[in-house]
Amino acid sequence: MKTKSIWGYPPRSYTDLLDRLSHAFGSRWIACVVGASDGKFVLPLTRRGIHVTCYDVDKTALFGGIKTVPTTRFTEPQQDYEPSPVARAWPSVPSQQVQIQGLVGRLELEGLSQWAEIRCTDYFRDSREDQFHLVFTSCSLQYKWNRDLDPMDMISRLMRSVCTGGFLAMDYMMPLEERHTWKPPQYLRQGVIETMFDRKDWQVLFLHEPEYPVFEAAHVDRPNDHFHRIGQITVQRIQ
Amino acid sequence: MELLAPAGSWEAMVACVEAGADAVYGGLPWWNARQRADNFSIDSLGSAVDWCHGHGRRFYLTLNILLRDPEIRDLLEVVTDGAFPAVDALIVADVGLMDQLRCSKPETSIHASTQFGAQNCTDLHWLRARGVDRVILPREASLEEIERLAQTKILPVEVFVWGSRCFCYSGDCRLNGYLTGGSGDRGCCIGVCRHTYVRADVSGQWLYPEDIDVQKYVRQLIQTGIVSLKIEGRRRRIDQLADVVRRYRRLIDSPETFELSRVSNRSHGWLMGGHSAEHHVRAGRANLETIGDEPLTTDSLSGGGGVSGYALQTQRCPDSDRFIDLLLRPYDCGGWQLRATTHQGEVVCAVLNPGSDPVDPPAVLSISPVNGWPIREARVEGDGSIGWCMREAVDALTKILPPEREATWLPSRNRRQATPLLSVEVSTREQACAAQECGATVLIVPFNKGEQVSDWEEHFPAAEIIFKMPMFDWKSVGWEFWAEAMEGRRVLGTRWSQLDVLHGRASLIGGESSLGIWNQAAAEVARVRGVGFITAPLDWSLAEAMRFASETQLLTDVTIAGHPTLGWSRTQWKSERSGADGRHYIDLLNTDLRVPLRIACDSTDICEVLAGKPMPVAGLPTDCGKFIRFRYAASHDAPDTVATVVSQLRHSVVDLERWAHDIRNQAGPRVRILQSSR
């Protein structure tokens, strides 16, 4: 039975990345997902028979429970015109409490439990220093729990988890516009992350830092429509 | 019920308001679809908005073109400035711009332009979810369709009631771009569908759909639940506009006062359906004087000395910082196309020596020093297979440049056989068979209701098949049928609202050129919807597509061969004769622009193709960037032709050195001659 993450589907670039690793390592590689949540990025790996170490501090996302999600909107005719969902003050949209399966539940339903190791702890404060062929994280640097950490230290920690020949792939939030300086330093300005990999033992394979933010509808734990500017980088450790 | 009137100038705005308009719409000299109107400057826009508000009226600003990246930056800088006039709404066509305006100017209403082409509930839901406050339906909507959409109350609906029509769906015309080099989506429409063409020695406005005037149906329109009646015509005469506004004002206030005697002989357009009726397009135009219109004719395009082009609008150019960029490229039908682009983005197009290949420097000279402005950049663009022509073109341009400038020519050094990454778009199995037998591995095929996906897959197991979603579905309340059928398959989406449904279900999603992805902001919107590749607009050169692909890092399909569509129309055209391939043709010849046209009519829909002169088969590079793929649009070709062209494409000669140079320098032009102003 194929299950679906309440966070939606991974982007196309993630599938391309996994294809690339499968091409490079066959089926003999292991991965680590930092900020695994309910498995948006984990299940595509385990379905390929890849062993994944999953880090997250959110117990509900890992083991299931109640989450607040926006209700399905705009599917029925309106009685009268309501304000646009992205209205002037960007108000909250109607939401509801739902029971989610969580990562563990999804793995069990799909019969993939043996491919995942769940670590319900903070990766950046975890003393274990395992190494993987792929380390992936999506916006965990900007997670509210990490506001007191230096982004460069966090990136260094991620780099240490990659074995020689392995890949590190990150999505990260950027200031909505470059002139926005009020964001905490975890919001990486254009060109900042590239400097971390300007060294002989790392090779930047893909770097995408969009100039423009994109609209994102309300989602789990974020009850109002909003905008993001998300960069992507994929690097390979060559030494 | 709002009556919305055009404000092509201050005088028109005042006349329309005094005649009874509730709101007016106008544009700046840039970024709007009527760049030839007497538009407002930013200063006069502020005065106009204040004047309207002082009279209890609203002012909507048109930003209804597809924007390039530099333009979107400039635009955002202007409209987000605190001193920018407080217009009541922005009329927007570009999806990327919609997002950026909503993000940086959330207090301003956004109206989705008719150029967006919203057709069904799904489109309206999609727009509403992005914060759009009103949708302007295309003129192709029938009364029944308008009512159905208005009754959903998803978004307030605005419709056109008076003005001209396009021969294509709004926002889907390519004819203007082919004939003039300026895309109608970019505000360069000069109404080529109104020109006189010759067919069988008979001149006529063969492509010209009648203008619309739906006074007769105002009562029904009001009852549908729409919120605004829109009058088109920012370039119309003021007295004519005032008269029209006055009449519609009277009809809205008291529909029973409908004056039969004043009804013009204009068409009700597509309002009452009848999309297949041939009378919408007719030879000539009756009662021109009665209507009092001044349509463009090809007379205004003619230049001297064998040069055709249209006159540059010089009155809006400032006194300083003026320059032009020149671009010379081979024209499909022989000769060369010269494009001179001013610092304001206005374009002069000319066809030099039509029908013959040599470049004539005097002919270039006759148009290039536009008003004596300095040439900032001169470029020659062409295909790798016509090197001697390129050399000649470089020489011709060099002669008009200052002597101290040194022309740079990048000669071929390293030619080798190529196996380009090629996709072939077909419409029949026979075409697909021919393409596959000649080595095509990526097939783009149509998929419609009633078909079986597995039929294609079983017939072509070795090919990577991409199913193309339908462009038009006025009755759709969702794309669920297609989303289910496309589960796990590769799909080419043709509408924005399709992407959300396909995301996560299709194994690969592509974005067709009909999405209008012209800038990085729009590309980001597509990317987050799982789009893995896009199709470059047909108005782009290969160099432009390469630059865009390099910047966005999205795989970009570039159509380099075949018969491109001139646009999509809802009208079926009268069949004139049967061709050898069993299809029907009307042959047209534009004598002024010397572009022979053939209009081919399928039994179910119209498809227009350039006759006998398909896009040239180019020498393809193997290394023009990892984000470029080439497409052969073979839908209108016979299987034999498909086989021949695919074979040619697969064995074309490439020039790796030159392309590598362009990639390194992110250079648009393939041959750069001059880089600085004099």
Side-chain angles (χ1 to χ4, degrees):
Chain A
M1 175 187 176
K2 196 170 181 179
T3 59
K4 181 186 171 186
S5 166
I6 56 168
W7 293 90
Y9 299 98
R12 172 74 200 171
S13 57
Y14 187 68
T15 311
D16 292 341
L17 174 68
L18 300 193
D19 289 344
R20 178 163 188 159
L21 268 94
S22 295
H23 182 73
F25 302 122
S27 60
R28 302 171 66 86
W29 54 284
I30 57 175
C32 172
V33 176
V34 179
S37 187
D38 74 340
K40 174 180 175 179
F41 296 102
V42 174
L43 270 290
L45 283 160
T46 55
R47 287 173 192 146
R48 292 173 181 239
I50 306 302
H51 190 274
V52 191
T53 300
C54 312
Y55 278 93
D56 208 306
V57 295
D58 185 344
K59 291 180 181 174
T60 307
L62 289 177
F63 303 110
I66 302 296
K67 279 279 187 187
T68 303
V69 298
T71 54
T72 306
R73 296 171 298 164
F74 320 130
T75 54
E76 299 296 328
Q78 307 292 311
Q79 291 305 308
D80 202 351
Y81 299 119
E82 296 174 355
S84 297
V86 189
R88 313 298 164 252
W90 303 19
S92 296
V93 298
S95 58
Q96 61 182 354
Q97 305 278 309
V98 296
Q99 174 78 34
I100 66 166
Q101 297 159 326
L103 174 58
V104 172
R106 292 186 66 205
L107 289 167
E108 285 177 357
L109 278 170
E110 297 201 22
L112 299 169
S113 299
Q114 75 272 25
W115 296 109
E117 177 186 345
I118 312 294
R119 295 182 181 177
C120 184
T121 185
D122 186 346
Y123 167 83
F124 294 111
R125 295 172 177 85
D126 189 16
S127 58
R128 284 170 283 194
E129 291 270 352
D130 303 327
Q131 287 198 320
F132 307 89
H133 294 91
L134 169 67
V135 175
F136 179 84
T137 187
S138 180
C139 303
S140 65
L141 272 60
Q142 290 78 32
Y143 192 50
K144 58 189 175 187
W145 285 58
N146 296 329
R147 292 285 166 83
D148 58 335
L149 298 180
D150 186 306
M152 298 306 144
D153 291 343
M154 288 191 278
I155 294 171
S156 298
R157 169 78 173 92
L158 290 163
M159 292 164 72
R160 288 201 302 274
S161 294
V162 180
C163 65
T164 303
F167 293 76
L168 168 61
M170 285 193 290
D171 296 347
Y172 52 94
M173 293 189 190
M174 305 172 69
L176 276 188
E177 295 176 39
E178 282 301 317
R179 65 172 184 263
H180 290 171
T181 55
W182 45 267
K183 285 283 187 188
Q186 285 80 8
Y187 285 72
L188 301 173
R189 297 173 66 85
Q190 197 159 18
V192 168
I193 202 163
E194 198 175 5
T195 60
M196 292 291 291
F197 299 99
D198 187 17
R199 38 195 285 184
K200 288 181 179 176
D201 51 344
W202 288 87
Q203 180 184 10
V204 177
L205 301 175
F206 180 79
L207 176 64
H208 177 64
E209 296 194 317
E211 181 176 348
Y212 302 103
V214 289
F215 170 85
E216 187 166 328
H219 54 70
V220 190
D221 295 337
R222 185 72 188 265
N224 55 333
D225 297 330
H226 53 283
F227 287 84
H228 279 316
R229 185 164 165 242
I230 296 181
Q232 290 177 301
I233 190 168
T234 302
V235 290
Q236 184 177 21
R237 183 171 187 168
I238 52 180
Q239 286 180 14
Chain B
M1 177 61 60
E2 175 189 82
L3 181 59
L4 180 58
S9 64
W10 182 281
E11 293 76 18
M13 177 187 74
V14 172
C16 288
V17 166
E18 289 177 346
D22 299 305
V24 295
Y25 62 96
L28 294 165
W30 325 275
W31 314 318
N32 89 87
R34 292 287 181 270
Q35 297 192 11
R36 301 177 78 202
D38 188 12
N39 291 302
F40 295 93
S41 66
I42 292 179
D43 289 339
S44 64
L45 176 67
S47 306
V49 172
D50 291 343
W51 188 89
C52 283
H53 290 173
H55 287 75
R57 306 299 201 275
R58 293 177 290 279
F59 190 101
Y60 304 149
L61 181 65
T62 54
L63 303 171
N64 52 349
I65 63 168
L66 301 178
L67 296 152
R68 293 183 187 279
D69 277 309
E71 294 169 325
I72 211 168
R73 290 182 200 114
D74 293 346
L75 189 156
L76 288 172
E77 193 171 324
V78 168
V79 299
T80 57
D81 188 292
F84 190 76
V87 296
D88 295 281
L90 302 169
I91 301 174
V92 180
D94 189 302
V95 167
L97 179 62
M98 275 182 202
D99 261 23
Q100 301 316 308
L101 287 171
R102 185 46 76 211
C103 181
S104 55
K105 201 173 173 63
E107 72 282 1
T108 305
S109 293
I110 293 177
H111 296 179
S113 165
T114 185
Q115 298 288 98
F116 180 83
Q119 305 168 24
N120 50 45
C121 297
T122 320
D123 288 341
L124 266 55
H125 282 307
W126 194 86
L127 288 168
R128 178 176 160 79
R130 308 196 75 71
V132 169
D133 299 278
R134 182 189 290 187
V135 63
I136 306 164
L137 291 185
R139 296 165 177 84
E140 290 78 18
S142 70
L143 188 63
E144 181 190 344
E145 290 155 351
I146 291 169
E147 182 169 18
R148 185 169 58 242
L149 292 176
Q151 289 296 318
T152 62
K153 302 277 187 187
I154 299 166
L155 273 179
V157 169
E158 176 180 313
V159 297
F160 283 93
V161 292
W162 190 93
S164 59
R165 280 188 296 167
C166 300
F167 89 108
C168 288
Y169 275 96
S170 302
D172 281 313
C173 174
R174 302 287 169 265
L175 181 62
N176 197 81
Y178 289 132
L179 295 187
T180 70
S183 169
D185 293 336
R186 304 255 310 135
C188 298
C189 174
I190 60 166
V192 290
C193 55
R194 295 173 171 231
H195 293 169
T196 300
Y197 297 87
V198 175
R199 178 181 65 83
D201 296 329
V202 179
S203 296
Q205 290 173 292
W206 298 103
L207 300 178
Y208 179 34
E210 292 173 311
D211 289 352
I212 56 171
D213 187 353
V214 299
Q215 307 177 41
K216 197 173 168 183
Y217 301 99
V218 165
R219 189 197 303 261
Q220 285 108 307
L221 278 171
I222 292 172
Q223 289 169 350
T224 60
I226 61 172
V227 299
S228 181
L229 300 177
K230 184 170 193 169
I231 293 168
E232 183 272 345
R234 275 185 280 161
R235 295 180 59 222
R236 305 273 178 173
R237 285 203 328 261
I238 293 174
D239 57 338
Q240 182 190 20
L241 274 180
D243 183 48
V244 172
V245 171
R246 205 170 291 117
R247 275 189 281 146
Y248 272 93
R249 177 79 271 161
R250 203 175 303 139
L251 286 167
I252 292 170
D253 293 341
S254 49
E256 65 278 3
T257 62
F258 175 68
E259 299 169 79
L260 195 60
S261 60
R262 296 295 305 276
V263 176
S264 74
N265 54 2
R266 289 183 167 211
S267 164
H268 53 63
W270 285 283
L271 197 63
M272 303 311 291
H275 301 120
S276 62
E278 65 189 61
H279 69 267
H280 292 306
V281 179
R282 55 181 182 162
R285 184 179 177 192
N287 301 307
L288 198 63
E289 295 77 15
T290 307
I291 298 168
D293 197 358
E294 296 174 357
L296 282 170
T297 67
T298 45
D299 293 341
S300 60
L301 297 177
S302 299
V307 177
S308 312
Y310 61 93
L312 184 71
Q313 300 241 318
T314 57
Q315 66 271 23
R316 293 197 301 276
C317 297
D319 294 328
S320 59
D321 298 324
R322 296 184 300 191
F323 59 80
I324 57 172
D325 292 334
L326 292 181
L327 173 65
L328 194 61
R329 60 186 178 195
Y331 207 40
D332 284 352
C333 303
W336 293 80
Q337 184 190 49
L338 177 70
R339 296 179 58 163
T341 308
T342 74
H343 58 287
Q344 286 192 321
E346 292 165 328
V347 178
V348 176
C349 286
V351 179
L352 309 178
N353 301 334
S356 60
D357 285 334
V359 182
D360 179 17
V364 178
L365 275 174
S366 69
I367 190 168
S368 56
V370 181
N371 292 352
W373 293 349
I375 301 169
R376 187 185 67 167
E377 186 180 61
R379 294 179 290 158
V380 179
E381 194 175 294
D383 304 299
S385 56
I386 49 174
W388 65 272
C389 271
M390 306 303 295
R391 162 62 75 181
E392 195 173 29
V394 170
D395 290 342
L397 280 185
T398 303
K399 288 177 183 172
I400 66 169
L401 298 178
E404 67 272 17
R405 298 293 173 196
E406 183 179 352
T408 304
W409 170 247
L410 303 171
S412 302
R413 290 178 194 166
N414 183 18
R415 292 184 177 274
R416 66 170 70 168
Q417 291 298 107
T419 306
L421 186 55
L422 175 70
S423 65
V424 182
E425 182 176 356
V426 298
S427 58
T428 66
R429 296 234 174 94
E430 291 73 23
Q431 292 168 337
C433 280
Q436 187 174 250
E437 283 172 7
C438 294
T441 54
V442 182
L443 297 177
I444 298 174
V445 303
F447 180 66
N448 297 301
K449 282 185 178 176
E451 293 180 342
Q452 293 294 322
V453 175
S454 54
D455 287 353
W456 283 101
E457 294 172 334
E458 286 168 6
H459 276 84
F460 305 99
E464 177 183 320
I465 294 181
I466 300 173
F467 293 96
K468 186 172 178 177
M469 294 280 280
M471 281 271 289
F472 306 105
D473 186 352
W474 286 84
K475 293 183 178 176
S476 176
V477 291
W479 300 101
E480 276 304 311
F481 167 81
W482 282 273
E484 286 177 15
M486 293 296 114
E487 187 91 35
R489 294 181 166 86
R490 304 175 190 89
V491 194
L492 184 58
T494 56
R495 292 285 169 194
W496 282 103
S497 58
Q498 296 168 353
L499 303 182
D500 285 348
V501 187
L502 296 169
H503 184 30
R505 302 171 83 165
S507 66
L508 173 66
I509 305 174
E512 182 59 304
S513 56
S514 55
L515 298 183
I517 300 175
W518 279 63
N519 51 59
Q520 293 184 50
E524 280 304 303
V525 178
R527 185 197 298 274
V528 299
R529 274 158 183 75
V531 167
F533 73 96
I534 64 166
T535 309
L538 290 169
D539 309 272
W540 287 6
S541 68
L542 179 55
E544 287 174 297
M546 285 171 53
R547 186 166 43 213
F548 185 80
S550 166
E551 288 171 355
T552 61
Q553 304 191 58
L554 267 175
L555 178 64
T556 302
D557 273 11
V558 182
T559 306
I560 43 87
H563 292 295
T565 177
L566 295 187
W568 296 93
S569 172
R570 214 174 178 188
T571 303
Q572 289 182 20
W573 297 62
K574 183 180 177 184
S575 303
E576 288 292 307
R577 67 180 176 82
S578 296
D581 55 0
R583 291 155 66 216
H584 302 291
Y585 291 105
I586 299 174
D587 287 319
L588 300 176
L589 179 64
N590 178 337
T591 52
D592 296 300
L593 292 171
R594 296 177 176 82
V595 178
L597 293 179
R598 173 191 286 175
I599 294 182
C601 307
D602 282 337
S603 58
T604 55
D605 200 354
I606 182 171
C607 39
E608 303 90 354
V609 295
L610 291 169
K613 293 283 184 183
M615 294 172 71
V617 176
L620 297 182
T622 53
D623 188 20
C624 62
K626 57 185 175 181
F627 298 111
I628 285 285
R629 182 168 63 185
F630 299 101
R631 183 182 297 177
Y632 165 33
S635 300
H636 301 298
D637 284 348
D640 290 350
T641 310
V642 174
T644 306
V645 175
V646 170
S647 299
Q648 281 181 301
L649 289 171
R650 291 198 68 242
H651 296 95
S652 58
V653 177
V654 298
D655 184 347
L656 293 177
E657 283 290 322
R658 196 177 69 224
W659 288 101
H661 178 275
D662 282 352
I663 288 294
R664 276 197 303 274
N665 294 287
Q666 290 193 335
R670 298 179 201 176
V671 182
R672 185 175 292 274
I673 301 171
L674 180 67
Q675 192 67 46
S676 58
S677 61
R678 59 185 177 183

